[in-house]
Amino acid sequence: MVLRTTPKSKQSGEMDLIINLLMNPLQKIYLQALINQSHQESSQQVKQEEYCQKENVQYLQKQQLLQIIQQCQTQNQPTQQVSKPSTLIEVQNQVTSYFQQIILQKQTINLTNVLEVQLPYFMIIMSNLIIYGLENCQADKQIVADLVASYKDNPLKISMSYSLFQTVALLFRSEVIIYDQSTKYLANFLLFRDDFCDIFFKALYSYKISQGQTVSQQIGFTQIHQMIKKQQDEVWTTFTFKMLSQQQQKLSKDQFLLQFNQYTQQLNNFFNKSNLIMDLVAQSVKQTAKLHNDQIFQEYLLIMGSFKATTQDFLKRATQLFFEETQELDLLQFSSNTIKVHKQMNSQILFMLPMLLQLESQYLEHIIKNGFSEMQLKNSSNYYLKMIEKLKNKCVYNGEEECNCKKCQCIRRNRNSAKESQKKKREALEKIGPLQDEFNKLQKKVKHLETENQYMTTLILEVFKHPSVEKIASQFLEPLAKIIADSESMEEC
């Protein structure tokens, strides 16, 4: 039997060879997962359509109705055979593959700004990156031209599939994008971090139907922009609800407890490890004044301090306030209860992730606005660095069993020691109890005898004052004085 290698398998073999030669094992696993995800999105479009059909049934019915109307209008016209147009997800897959090749081959991307709109700094670079990918990928040229024109006119129309978003984040973390001197800071930007980009996508994605009824999960620039600007209060509430409920219509009590604990762990890791603002605070101490910003540093300290002050008691109280009358919440109930929780408990922990994203974006804008000139430092960055380091040593779990850090272990040992000490005191009191009762009885007897002695002494003195006894008193006083003296000497012994 002769085995023949298909072009697809040959291409896969060449890809594996490039991966083995150019990347370390961790990068291989991560990038291979992205490549597999890209292939799966193309092959699983039918499954995605079936999965999303229930939620989009009204939209599909309207589309079908429009098609029927169009067919009725053109039923007397001759039909022409046309080729099936490429869908948005197929174009995105081409861009994803192109970016993955850049990462594999360790190339760099030189971007120039082709936009004439005002957007946050990181969104300007993302928009130019997506346009750059479209112009250089192997997708249909006409579709690419239409998309590029649309995105240049309004970048908020840009959307990304899961694999494309993950690949874009990896591009920033790999620091292969060259735009200006501040682009390097995006490698640690919250939206692109490998421990948070999944969270943002799963909380912000929506289902998008393109030509051919292809359904896909897309994260749009509009949603990201709304998170930064927060022109409406419900933007952050909706994000938090979708994050905790995993995009379900209802949030159950058990789901809230599970997701809130994971959310706490992720934020704890964020504050305790390297992050954009903390790194820039450290750099501002040693390098340039352009990195310093009192307002941002103070706000970061407030967010970090508020989080570190949150313990498991907060979760118990918040759960009671959220679910006092029901076992599950919809978005409207969650929104009203969130306001109540924040007011009564004086904590913004549920909004900390979007607050940090907004703060990092503001910090990048500050760096861009402040320019790149090197200046001598005369600021209080060292104070903020010390305070951040001090807060890092405080664990939000405060000795709870969920955490095994050194701080919590120490707190648990101290608590156990205190409990053991209290236990010994209780045991000692239990043993002393019977002896204490006997001692109290003896004290009562002594007091009774002292009272009787005092009465007898008074009586004797009164007797000796009588005229008939006074004459013979001398005969009794000397022996009595001796008895008293002997008794006093015995008491001293």
Side-chain angles (χ1 to χ4, degrees):
M1 183 182 221
V2 178
L3 295 176
R4 296 183 180 178
T5 305
T6 63
K8 184 177 181 180
S9 63
K10 182 178 180 181
Q11 183 179 5
S12 177
E14 291 175 352
M15 181 69 70
D16 291 339
L17 180 60
I18 294 173
I19 291 174
N20 290 328
L21 290 175
L22 297 178
M23 306 197 74
N24 61 45
L26 185 60
Q27 290 173 326
K28 292 176 191 175
I29 295 172
Y30 189 87
L31 191 58
Q32 192 63 49
L34 290 179
I35 294 172
N36 292 339
Q37 178 69 27
S38 176
H39 293 323
Q40 288 174 2
E41 287 181 344
S42 296
S43 63
Q44 292 180 350
Q45 291 177 4
V46 176
K47 293 183 179 179
Q48 288 178 336
E49 183 176 354
E50 293 175 352
Y51 177 81
C52 306
Q53 190 172 6
K54 291 181 180 179
E55 294 186 5
N56 297 281
V57 61
Q58 294 182 352
Y59 179 87
L60 293 176
Q61 287 175 347
K62 290 179 181 179
Q63 292 293 101
Q64 291 170 357
L65 183 61
L66 287 173
Q67 290 178 358
I68 293 172
I69 294 172
Q70 290 174 354
Q71 288 175 359
C72 292
Q73 291 175 343
T74 59
Q75 60 182 349
N76 295 325
Q77 299 178 4
T79 60
Q80 296 180 354
Q81 296 292 330
V82 295
S83 60
K84 183 181 177 181
S86 298
T87 62
L88 175 65
I89 189 66
E90 290 172 346
V91 175
Q92 290 175 342
N93 286 340
Q94 291 290 335
V95 177
T96 302
S97 298
Y98 173 70
F99 285 153
Q100 289 170 354
Q101 290 296 322
I102 289 176
I103 297 171
L104 282 172
Q105 297 172 13
K106 297 183 179 179
Q107 298 176 352
T108 57
I109 299 176
N110 290 281
L111 293 179
T112 55
N113 189 14
V114 296
L115 304 175
E116 297 180 357
V117 295
Q118 294 294 325
L119 285 173
Y121 173 75
F122 76 95
M123 294 191 71
I124 289 290
I125 299 182
M126 284 180 70
S127 302
N128 283 287
L129 179 63
I130 296 298
I131 292 172
Y132 176 89
L134 286 169
E135 291 176 339
N136 289 276
C137 72
Q138 299 299 317
D140 183 277
K141 298 301 180 184
Q142 184 58 49
I143 295 177
V144 165
D146 293 341
L147 287 174
V148 168
S150 175
Y151 293 167
K152 285 183 178 180
D153 181 60
N154 184 7
L156 295 182
K157 292 181 179 179
I158 297 175
S159 65
M160 295 175 287
S161 64
Y162 178 78
S163 59
L164 178 56
F165 178 67
Q166 288 282 350
T167 305
V168 167
L170 182 57
L171 282 171
F172 283 108
R173 294 200 301 273
S174 302
E175 298 187 39
V176 299
I177 300 171
I178 301 173
Y179 181 76
D180 59 28
Q181 295 183 44
S182 295
T183 311
K184 59 185 178 182
Y185 299 127
L186 293 175
N188 212 11
F189 187 62
L190 187 61
L191 185 67
F192 305 136
R193 286 171 58 116
D194 58 353
D195 51 348
F196 282 97
C197 60
D198 259 0
I199 296 174
F200 281 106
F201 184 89
K202 290 177 181 177
L204 291 174
Y205 80 80
S206 59
Y207 289 104
K208 189 166 186 177
I209 303 177
S210 58
Q211 293 178 350
Q213 302 299 323
T214 303
V215 182
S216 60
Q217 295 176 354
Q218 301 278 321
I219 181 172
F221 274 36
T222 300
Q223 287 83 2
I224 298 173
H225 188 254
Q226 288 174 347
M227 288 281 289
I228 300 298
K229 295 302 180 182
K230 196 201 173 188
Q231 295 176 343
Q232 298 176 336
D233 291 338
E234 61 267 20
V235 171
W236 285 2
T237 306
T238 303
F239 168 82
T240 306
F241 179 79
K242 288 183 177 181
M243 178 185 68
L244 295 174
S245 68
Q246 300 290 284
Q247 288 270 16
Q248 300 300 313
Q249 297 296 320
K250 297 279 188 178
L251 174 61
S252 67
K253 186 175 182 179
D254 291 340
Q255 180 81 349
F256 174 78
L257 291 170
L258 175 65
Q259 294 299 324
F260 187 88
N261 270 319
Q262 293 181 3
Y263 176 62
T264 303
Q265 292 172 6
Q266 288 155 347
L267 283 177
N268 197 42
N269 289 334
F270 173 81
F271 285 117
N272 289 341
K273 295 181 181 179
S274 170
N275 63 65
L276 177 64
I277 294 180
M278 188 172 67
D279 291 348
L280 290 177
V281 171
Q283 288 182 37
S284 69
V285 174
K286 303 173 184 177
Q287 296 181 10
T288 62
K290 77 183 181 70
L291 297 176
H292 183 82
N293 187 295
D294 273 310
Q295 182 180 354
I296 290 176
F297 291 172
Q298 288 172 9
E299 191 168 345
Y300 178 82
L301 270 180
L302 287 173
I303 295 173
M304 186 177 183
S306 177
F307 174 75
K308 291 291 185 175
T310 303
T311 64
Q312 291 298 293
D313 291 336
F314 175 92
L315 176 58
K316 294 175 184 177
R317 291 175 59 197
T319 304
Q320 291 174 353
L321 290 173
F322 268 119
F323 299 94
E324 58 184 355
E325 297 177 354
T326 182
Q327 289 297 309
E328 59 179 18
L329 303 170
D330 59 19
L331 177 58
L332 185 61
Q333 293 170 316
F334 179 82
S335 179
S336 61
N337 287 353
T338 298
I339 297 172
K340 182 167 59 176
V341 167
H342 284 168
K343 284 184 178 179
Q344 293 189 17
M345 305 189 68
N346 193 28
S347 174
Q348 297 282 320
I349 187 172
L350 293 172
F351 288 166
M352 280 187 184
L353 197 56
M355 286 168 69
L356 288 168
L357 179 66
Q358 185 186 61
L359 193 63
E360 287 191 355
S361 178
Q362 291 173 357
Y363 199 177
L364 290 173
E365 298 298 325
H366 160 75
I367 295 173
I368 299 301
K369 184 178 179 181
N370 205 37
F372 301 97
S373 59
E374 302 293 329
M375 300 168 61
Q376 292 296 321
L377 269 180
K378 289 183 179 179
N379 58 49
S380 55
S381 294
N382 196 45
Y383 160 77
Y384 295 108
L385 185 61
K386 288 180 179 178
M387 290 299 296
I388 289 172
E389 291 297 330
K390 187 175 180 179
L391 283 174
K392 280 175 63 178
N393 294 326
K394 178 178 172 59
C395 182
V396 290
Y397 285 97
N398 196 31
E400 297 290 338
E401 294 295 335
E402 286 85 350
C403 183
N404 205 32
C405 70
K406 292 182 179 179
K407 190 72 175 179
C408 285
Q409 290 178 5
C410 181
I411 293 173
R412 286 197 290 269
R413 283 195 299 268
N414 291 340
R415 286 176 181 170
N416 293 335
S417 178
K419 289 179 181 178
E420 189 65 25
S421 177
Q422 291 292 331
K423 182 180 178 182
K424 289 180 179 179
K425 286 181 181 179
R426 286 194 300 270
E427 291 175 350
L429 288 172
E430 289 174 359
K431 292 178 181 179
I432 292 172
L435 297 176
Q436 186 70 35
D437 293 339
E438 293 297 326
F439 178 73
N440 292 337
K441 290 179 181 179
L442 289 173
Q443 276 190 325
K444 288 180 181 180
K445 288 182 179 180
V446 169
K447 189 174 182 180
H448 180 68
L449 291 173
E450 287 176 346
T451 303
E452 288 184 349
N453 289 341
Q454 187 177 4
Y455 176 74
M456 290 299 294
T457 302
T458 304
L459 182 61
I460 291 171
L461 291 174
E462 291 294 331
V463 169
F464 279 110
K465 289 179 182 179
H466 196 276
S468 61
V469 179
E470 190 174 0
K471 296 178 181 179
I472 59 174
S474 59
Q475 299 177 13
F476 297 98
L477 288 175
E478 185 177 350
L480 186 60
K482 185 180 180 182
I483 291 171
I484 293 173
D486 290 342
S487 64
E488 288 179 351
S489 64
M490 288 179 66
E491 288 179 358
E492 290 176 1
C493 294

